[in-house]
């Protein structure tokens, strides 16, 4: 009882969890576009979570007597060139992509935010050096940058994350820098400086939380790009090494048999596009709604 | 009749008579030793089969070219071919087969290796080899005219050969014929050339058909064939637009005669069209009739067109393969038990079926193909994960073993092979991590990686690859292309013996031992031997495949 007495006041002091959740979701629920996007994304999230219950096959189980088949009762989406069930590969592939894409965006957020805060807050020489270096990197087309990085370090899940981190960080840094330069002039920053707070406290505790809105929307869009990037790398044979059920690699492998078995290309392509479209719609809807309130 | 037979010919004939040698092998070796094909065929016919014990699985060559149509070939028409029209200058510098295909019907070769692996004289009338195989005398066919009216003479051959062996020209023949010095090419008379080799070599006639070995006219050729397209072939070069097309026109006075007694070729015109690298463009072009032939078709073409009722898809078995190579100087592959364990994890038939659509022959983990003349038949090893597991345990890896395998992701059948091996080797305790990379990256490391899958191309003789890849020099150092660093003294010595042995039965006996050694303690797994394909419209008649995908259209004709 003592415990509950201690907890109760803290809950009553603030709006309940569900109320806060409703407030947070309000802009989202108001946007039909965002809801459609959310539904698409949630579909794949649920598929990824419940993967083992959704298919009797392992994504790597080969069947030499059932290669390149179309949809049937035994294999709802058909099989690929090694007789592997396409549905089970899609299902397990969603696990990979839904871990790797957000993870790589988180990593590029960490790197980009740090650089952007430093450049924006200190300005001067630091700003010049950091931003010119990042500009130089942004001069490369993203795909070329992925190719260079993967070709240099080799293809693996970690390296895919590293490549997307490196390619994505400059854009985030640029965004964060401009937000920082704006917020830096506010009175509460001057107050914090007067209090004698350290620059890092000011950057991470005063500036960053106040810049979070655009960063979150940008990050949502970036997850979509990351899904696309991982798909592209897989298609170019630079993604996750086989036999990982990477969607892009599935398209790449299936492309060879497209004349006899178009299903092996169709399904993973649909999966990639539905997830990317879902993420983009979600981010767009979110942005529209947050803009409206501003 | 033959002027002077090689001393081995009667011996070969005796072997054929006793059934120790197939008819096809007799033709091969007899023609290699300088006998004309017709004479060899006549001799072969004189040697009735004594026993029916030795028929090989391979089909025997027919003595007369089959004439499928009673009406005989029709003349006229234009054959359109999708090809690669790249930049070319000096034929000796050709670096891929496509270069030679577009000019193959203008300039010609001294010899010709046909689709059955038989090498016969072509611009040569015949050749003779000395008993020690170190002196080769080439007799040129008389009466052949270049398409500018010049006579084809020994000076042309000597001139062209000196270019091959000139380091400044930079021909790949320089390495292939390293047994020959430019100073040792002797012009005996206007129609005879003698080669004095540094070391015995039986494959000289085959080397003369290597694709950069087109013979040039010594009076006109100045290093660029497009500028002076003078050749002995049945067509003349009318147009060569790099990246676009090549137009070849029939010449009237070609030296070979057709079935109707008139000079070849039957076709009026050959046009090579460059449709870019994308297979779907080629597939659409042959389906709509824009082209009649796809030169050098790939797997994608085969898959898309194999069931098309208007097309003929001809499969030709080759000695082209994908080699699972293990570096014997790196752990854990130093231990033969580990190597054998991995080899036992291959289900050869399944790999062939899934990775190459069953189009080929299963391999048996030694690098000699059933189509090689000296092939010694051995059973395909069974998939045996239990024995593999036991071998791994014996070698001290009872807990299993994680290994990394270098795989080029641009070669789809290599990737499929690797994926199948990974799954099938798991029960034995292997955890194979596939390390994928683009083509250029793989060719950077192909001799260096511990475990990898390397494509090896077709070569007409079994001994040729073994010499390139599985021996060490006198100091015990692996030869440059020995990617697995496997040195086996007994193997090296036996191989040298095989290369100098003409007696087929003896040679095959040595080959049996070589195959046994390579299987039992070697460093490679051979999953399968690939077929290559040739694809043409059904109206294209007398259309044949070739293991090296050479276009040979002298006798091709079009049915109206």
């Amino acid at each position: 009882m003592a415990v509950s007495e201690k907890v109760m006041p803290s809950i009553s002091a603030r709006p309940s969890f569900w109320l806060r959740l409703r407030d947070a979701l309000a802009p989202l629920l108001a946007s039909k576009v965002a809801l459609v996007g959310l539904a698409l994304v949630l579909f794949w999230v649920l598929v990824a979570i419940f993967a083992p219950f959704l298919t009797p096959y392992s994504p790597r189980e080969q069947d030499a007597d059932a290669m390149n088949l179309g949809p049937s009762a035994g294999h709802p989406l058909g099989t690929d060139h090694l007789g592997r069930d396409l549905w089970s590969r899609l299902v397990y592939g969603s696990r990979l992509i839904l871990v790797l894409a957000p993870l790589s965006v988180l990593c590029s957020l960490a790197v980009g935010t740090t650089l952007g805060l430093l450049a924006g807050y200190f300005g001067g020489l630091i700003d010049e050096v950091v931003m010119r270096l990042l500009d130089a990197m942004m001069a490369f087309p993203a795909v070329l940058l992925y190719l260079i990085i993967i070709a240099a370090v080799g293809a693996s899940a970690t390296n895919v994350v590293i490549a997307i981190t490196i390619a994505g960080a400059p854009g985030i840094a640029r965004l964060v820098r401009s937000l920082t330069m704006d917020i830096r002039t506010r009175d509460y920053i001057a107050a914090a400086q007067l209090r004698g707070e350290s620059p890092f406290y000011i950057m991470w505790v005063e500036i960053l939380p106040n810049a979070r809105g655009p960063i979150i929307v940008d990050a949502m869009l970036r997850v979509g790009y990351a899904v696309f990037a991982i798909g592209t790398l897989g298609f170019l044979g630079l993604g996750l090494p086989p036999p990982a059920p990477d969607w892009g690699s599935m398209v790449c492998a299936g492309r060879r048999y497209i004349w006899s078995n178009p299903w092996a290309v169709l399904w993973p392509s649909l999966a990639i596009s539905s997830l990317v479209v879902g993420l983009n719609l979600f981010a767009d809807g979110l942005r529209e709604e947050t803009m409206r309130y501003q | 009749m033959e002027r002077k037979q090689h001393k081995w010919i009667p011996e070969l004939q005796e072997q054929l008579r006793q059934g120790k040698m197939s008819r096809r092998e007799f033709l091969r070796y007899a023609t290699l030793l300088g006998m004309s094909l017709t004479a060899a065929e006549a001799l072969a016919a004189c040697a009735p089969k004594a026993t029916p014990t030795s028929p090989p699985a391979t089909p025997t060559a027919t003595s007369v070219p089959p004439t499928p149509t009673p009406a005989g070939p029709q003349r006229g028409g234009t054959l359109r071919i999708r090809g690669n029209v790249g930049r070319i200058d000096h034929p000796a510098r050709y670096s891929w087969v496509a270069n030679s295909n577009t000019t193959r019907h203008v300039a010609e070769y001294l010899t010709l290796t046909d689709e059955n692996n038989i090498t016969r004289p072509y611009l040569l009338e015949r050749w003779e080899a000395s008993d020690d195989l170190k002196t080769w005398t080439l007799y040129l066919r008389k009466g052949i005219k270049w398409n500018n009216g010049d006579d084809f003479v020994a000076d042309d051959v000597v001139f062209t050969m000196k270019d091959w062996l000139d380091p400044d020209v930079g021909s790949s023949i320089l390495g292939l014929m390293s047994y020959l010095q430019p100073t040792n090419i002797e012009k005996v008379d206007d129609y005879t050339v003698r080669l004095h080799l540094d070391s015995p070599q039986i494959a000289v006639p085959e080397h003369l058909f290597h694709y950069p070995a087109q013979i040039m006219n010594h009076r006109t050729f100045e290093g660029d064939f497009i500028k002076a397209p003078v050749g002995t072939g049945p067509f003349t070069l009318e147009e060569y637009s790099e990246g676009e097309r090549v137009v070849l026109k029939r010449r009237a006075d070609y030296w070979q005669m057709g079935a109707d007694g008139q000079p070849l070729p039957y076709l009026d015109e050959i046009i090579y069209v460059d449709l870019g690298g994308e297979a779907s463009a080629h597939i659409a072009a042959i389906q709509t009739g824009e082209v009649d032939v796809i030169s050098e078709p790939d797997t994608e073409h085969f898959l898309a067109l194999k069931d098309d009722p208007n097309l003929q898809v001809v499969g030709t078995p080759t000695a082209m393969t994908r080699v699972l190579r293990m570096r014997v100087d790196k752990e854990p592959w130093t231990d033969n038990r580990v190597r054998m364990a991995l080899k036992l994890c291959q289900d050869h038939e399944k790999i062939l079926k899934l990775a190459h659509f069953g189009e080929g022959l299963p391999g048996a983990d030694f690098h000699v193909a059933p189509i090689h003349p000296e092939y010694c038949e051995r059973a395909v090893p069974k998939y045996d994960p239990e024995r593999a597991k036991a071998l791994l345990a014996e070698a001290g890896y009872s807990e299993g073993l994680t290994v990394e395998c270098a795989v080029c992701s641009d070669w789809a059948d290599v990737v499929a092979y690797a994926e199948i091996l990974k799954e099938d080797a798991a029960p034995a305790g292997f955890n194979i991590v596939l390390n994928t990379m683009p083509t250029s990256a793989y060719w950077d490391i192909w001799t260096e990686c511990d475990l990898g899958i390397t494509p090896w191309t077709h070569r007409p003789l079994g001994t040729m690859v073994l010499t390139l890849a599985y021996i060490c020099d006198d100091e015990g150092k692996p030869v440059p292309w020995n990617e697995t660093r496997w040195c086996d003294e007994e193997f090296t010595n036996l191989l040298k013996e095989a290369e100098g042995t003409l007696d087929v039965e003896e040679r095959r006996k040595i080959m049996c031992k070589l195959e046994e050694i390579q299987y039992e303690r070697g460093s490679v797994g051979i999953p399968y031997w690939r077929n290559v394909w040739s694809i043409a419209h059904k109206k294209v008649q007398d259309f044949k495949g070739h293991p090296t995908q050479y276009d040979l259209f002298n006798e091709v004709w079009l049915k109206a």
Side-chain angles (χ1 to χ4, degrees):
Chain A
M1 283 304 115
V3 176
S4 68
E5 270 171 12
K6 245 186 162 178
V7 174
M8 285 305 279
S10 70
I11 288 180
S12 55
R14 301 178 64 187
S16 82
F17 170 73
W18 293 109
L19 273 176
R20 278 190 292 138
L21 187 68
R22 203 189 64 189
D23 284 351
L25 290 181
L28 178 65
L29 296 172
S31 160
K32 285 209 175 57
V33 173
L35 270 182
V36 172
L38 185 65
L40 281 171
V41 176
L42 272 183
F43 169 76
W44 284 115
V45 171
L46 291 175
V47 161
I49 293 172
F50 298 108
F53 304 104
L54 295 175
T55 168
Y57 302 100
S58 139
R60 284 168 45 182
E61 189 179 322
Q62 299 167 354
D63 182 351
D65 296 322
M67 49 195 270
N68 275 327
L69 296 181
S72 66
H75 301 281
L77 301 186
T79 57
D80 73 358
H81 62 288
L82 296 179
R84 297 176 295 203
D85 182 62
L86 284 170
W87 170 240
S88 87
R89 285 182 72 72
L90 276 194
V91 163
Y92 282 93
S94 67
R95 289 187 156 186
L96 287 176
I97 200 107
L98 285 172
V99 169
L100 290 183
L103 183 68
S104 49
V105 171
L106 274 181
C107 290
S108 49
L109 264 181
V111 176
T113 306
T114 310
L115 292 173
L117 280 172
L118 286 172
Y121 184 76
F122 290 112
L125 188 64
I126 294 181
D127 187 23
E128 278 298 318
V129 172
V130 171
M131 292 321 288
R132 290 301 81 75
L133 282 177
L134 294 182
D135 281 349
M137 280 179 65
M138 286 179 82
F140 288 95
V143 172
L144 186 62
L145 210 51
Y146 297 143
L147 291 182
I148 295 171
I149 296 166
I150 296 286
V153 294
S156 73
T158 323
N159 292 342
V160 167
V161 171
I162 291 173
I164 295 178
T165 302
I166 294 175
I172 295 177
R174 206 174 240 211
L175 173 73
V176 173
R177 169 178 172 270
S178 65
L179 292 166
T180 309
M181 287 169 75
D182 175 28
I183 296 173
R184 192 178 60 175
T185 59
R186 305 282 167 86
D187 289 344
Y188 56 84
I189 302 296
Q193 283 167 338
L194 270 180
R195 285 204 308 275
E197 303 288 4
S198 79
F200 292 94
Y201 177 87
I202 296 174
M203 278 190 272
W204 292 100
V205 181
E206 300 284 349
I207 298 180
L208 189 58
N210 287 300
R212 70 177 189 275
I215 296 178
I216 289 172
V217 172
D218 179 67
M220 292 306 302
L221 279 172
R222 276 177 193 283
V223 176
Y225 297 151
V227 171
F228 203 68
I230 294 170
T232 309
L233 284 174
F235 182 71
L236 295 174
L238 296 169
L240 305 189
D246 172 30
W247 291 350
S249 312
M250 286 171 70
V251 178
C252 178
R255 192 176 64 128
R256 204 169 160 229
Y257 311 92
I258 194 165
W259 301 87
S260 47
N261 182 24
W263 303 103
V265 176
L266 181 70
W267 300 122
S269 310
L270 271 182
I272 295 174
S273 52
S274 66
L275 185 56
V276 173
V277 166
L279 285 163
N280 282 4
L281 288 181
F282 184 56
D284 272 355
L286 211 58
R287 182 168 55 194
E288 267 173 36
E289 290 303 314
T290 48
M291 293 292 185
R292 188 174 297 170
Y293 290 116
Q294 279 174 357
Chain B
M1 283 307 293
E2 290 296 312
R3 275 140 288 229
K4 174 176 169 267
Q5 281 183 357
H6 193 275
K7 70 160 187 174
W8 278 99
I9 297 282
E11 167 70 13
L12 294 176
Q13 199 184 4
E14 177 60 19
Q15 287 188 5
L16 173 69
R17 199 193 61 75
Q18 291 170 2
K20 282 160 88 180
M21 183 190 228
S22 74
R23 190 170 170 286
R24 180 172 147 191
E25 283 161 345
F26 173 78
L27 293 182
R28 234 193 79 76
Y29 278 93
T31 50
L32 267 179
L33 293 171
M35 183 169 264
S36 77
L37 186 65
T38 30
E41 276 167 348
L43 273 188
C46 296
K49 279 247 169 74
T51 47
T53 48
S54 72
T58 47
T60 48
T62 44
S63 58
V64 194
T67 39
T69 43
Q74 296 162 0
R75 288 188 174 262
T78 298
L79 187 69
R80 286 170 208 280
I81 305 163
R82 105 79 220 175
N84 287 301
V85 185
R87 173 184 294 278
I88 59 168
D89 46 26
H90 199 312
R93 265 200 297 271
Y94 288 166
S95 53
W96 50 326
V97 171
N99 293 150
S100 73
N101 274 341
T102 48
T103 52
R104 182 175 294 277
H105 298 97
V106 181
E108 296 186 302
Y109 299 81
L110 292 176
T111 61
L112 178 117
T113 304
D114 69 13
E115 71 279 7
N116 294 319
N117 238 8
I118 297 175
T119 301
R120 55 180 91 186
Y122 194 78
L123 288 180
L124 297 183
E125 186 182 59
R126 66 199 166 90
W127 60 74
E128 276 170 18
S130 66
D131 294 345
D132 64 356
L133 296 175
K134 284 177 77 170
T135 308
W136 287 75
T137 312
L138 313 177
Y139 297 95
L140 275 57
R141 208 180 276 274
K142 286 173 189 155
I144 295 178
K145 295 250 186 231
W146 294 92
N147 59 28
N148 68 349
D150 292 346
D151 281 326
F152 167 67
V153 286
D155 286 325
D156 298 318
V157 175
V158 174
F159 166 79
T160 309
M161 284 188 171
K162 288 203 163 144
D163 261 13
W164 297 346
L165 303 175
D166 181 352
D168 292 337
V169 171
S171 172
S172 60
I173 304 177
L174 182 60
L176 188 74
M177 298 179 72
S178 55
Y179 48 78
L180 181 63
Q181 305 305 320
T183 46
N184 294 340
I185 305 169
E186 180 199 347
K187 178 189 164 186
V188 180
D189 59 46
D190 264 358
Y191 293 97
T192 312
V193 175
R194 193 166 288 140
L195 309 178
H196 304 275
L197 314 190
D198 299 344
S199 55
Q201 176 59 255
I202 193 177
V204 172
E206 258 119 10
H207 291 168
L208 295 177
F209 193 53
H210 188 41
Y211 65 85
Q214 290 175 349
I215 301 297
M216 295 291 115
N217 185 332
H218 77 283
R219 296 183 194 85
T220 59
F221 184 72
E222 285 169 346
D224 189 342
F225 188 64
I226 303 296
K227 286 193 182 129
V230 179
T232 55
F235 289 87
T236 55
L237 183 69
E238 290 297 308
E239 180 190 336
Y240 195 101
S241 315
E242 189 187 323
E244 289 173 25
R245 62 183 205 149
V246 180
V247 180
L248 308 174
K249 286 261 194 296
R250 173 181 197 275
R251 67 181 266 206
D253 56 343
Y254 184 55
W255 59 272
Q256 286 193 78
M257 293 296 156
D260 52 5
Q262 300 296 310
L264 287 174
Y266 300 121
L267 299 166
D268 283 340
E269 194 179 35
I270 293 180
I271 299 181
Y272 277 90
V273 192
D274 194 325
L275 297 168
E278 190 54 48
S280 46
H282 314 156
I283 291 160
I286 198 166
Q287 282 176 333
T288 56
E290 194 188 321
V291 297
D292 309 311
V293 176
I294 295 184
S295 186
E296 294 184 88
D298 209 344
T299 314
E300 280 163 299
H301 303 95
F302 166 76
L303 288 172
L305 301 172
K306 63 181 161 52
D307 298 323
D308 192 313
N310 296 319
L311 303 179
Q312 44 181 329
V313 178
V314 185
T316 312
T318 73
M320 201 189 293
T321 186
R322 310 313 204 188
V323 178
L324 177 70
R325 24 81 73 232
M326 302 166 260
R327 277 237 348 229
V328 298
D329 56 341
K330 292 282 177 89
E331 292 285 347
W333 309 112
T334 44
D335 190 329
N336 187 39
R337 288 169 297 193
V338 181
R339 300 202 296 267
M340 181 54 91
L342 188 61
K343 287 191 233 169
L344 288 170
C345 292
Q346 300 171 95
D347 186 340
H348 293 81
E349 262 98 8
K350 177 184 169 190
I351 296 167
L352 174 61
K353 184 175 168 192
L354 286 178
H356 207 59
F357 331 102
E359 288 275 318
L361 299 164
D365 302 333
F366 50 84
H367 206 150
V368 183
I371 66 152
H372 282 140
E374 61 270 70
Y375 173 75
C376 165
E377 198 172 338
R378 278 180 65 94
V380 174
K382 289 261 179 306
Y383 171 54
D384 194 348
E386 271 90 46
R387 208 186 132 210
K389 198 179 173 73
L391 281 171
L392 271 189
E394 236 178 80
Y397 300 103
S398 46
E399 298 297 305
L401 176 62
T402 297
V403 293
E404 194 180 275
C405 180
V407 173
C408 170
S409 51
D410 296 333
W411 302 320
D413 65 327
V414 169
V415 177
Y417 171 31
E419 285 183 87
I420 297 163
L421 185 66
K422 179 183 167 76
E423 292 308 301
D424 287 350
F430 278 107
N431 173 28
I432 304 175
V433 180
L434 305 184
N435 176 19
T436 50
M437 59 194 71
T439 315
S440 54
Y442 188 79
W443 287 127
D444 280 347
I445 59 144
W446 73 282
T447 55
E448 297 307 315
C449 59
D450 295 5
L451 176 67
I453 300 173
T454 304
W456 276 84
T457 192
H458 168 91
R459 284 178 174 79
L461 295 179
T463 47
M464 287 163 85
V465 181
L466 298 182
T467 319
L468 272 175
Y470 305 104
I471 58 165
C472 295
D473 61 20
D474 298 339
E475 288 150 28
K477 270 177 59 182
V479 291
W481 279 13
N482 187 340
E483 51 181 342
T484 63
R485 313 292 196 276
W486 185 65
C487 289
D488 190 293
E489 208 175 318
E490 191 187 352
F491 186 87
T492 308
N493 292 337
L494 278 171
L495 183 57
K496 278 202 184 113
E497 200 185 321
E499 281 188 302
T501 305
L502 272 180
D503 183 298
V504 170
E505 200 54 33
E506 287 307 311
R507 200 173 155 89
R508 195 195 309 285
K509 266 188 206 152
I510 303 172
M511 207 37 114
C512 288
K513 285 189 214 156
L514 286 168
E515 290 175 5
E516 173 83 18
I517 293 171
Q518 199 176 23
Y519 175 73
E520 287 299 338
R521 51 179 196 255
S523 52
V524 294
I526 304 282
Y528 56 86
W529 306 99
R530 290 163 57 107
N531 271 6
V532 295
W533 302 286
S534 313
I535 302 177
H537 194 276
K538 282 219 170 106
K539 72 177 178 186
V540 182
Q541 302 292 311
D542 285 341
F543 179 74
K544 291 171 189 160
H546 195 273
T548 33
Q549 298 194 307
Y550 293 166
D551 290 345
L552 300 171
F553 297 148
N554 278 11
E555 292 175 50
V556 161
W557 54 282
L558 295 172
K559 200 153 106 183

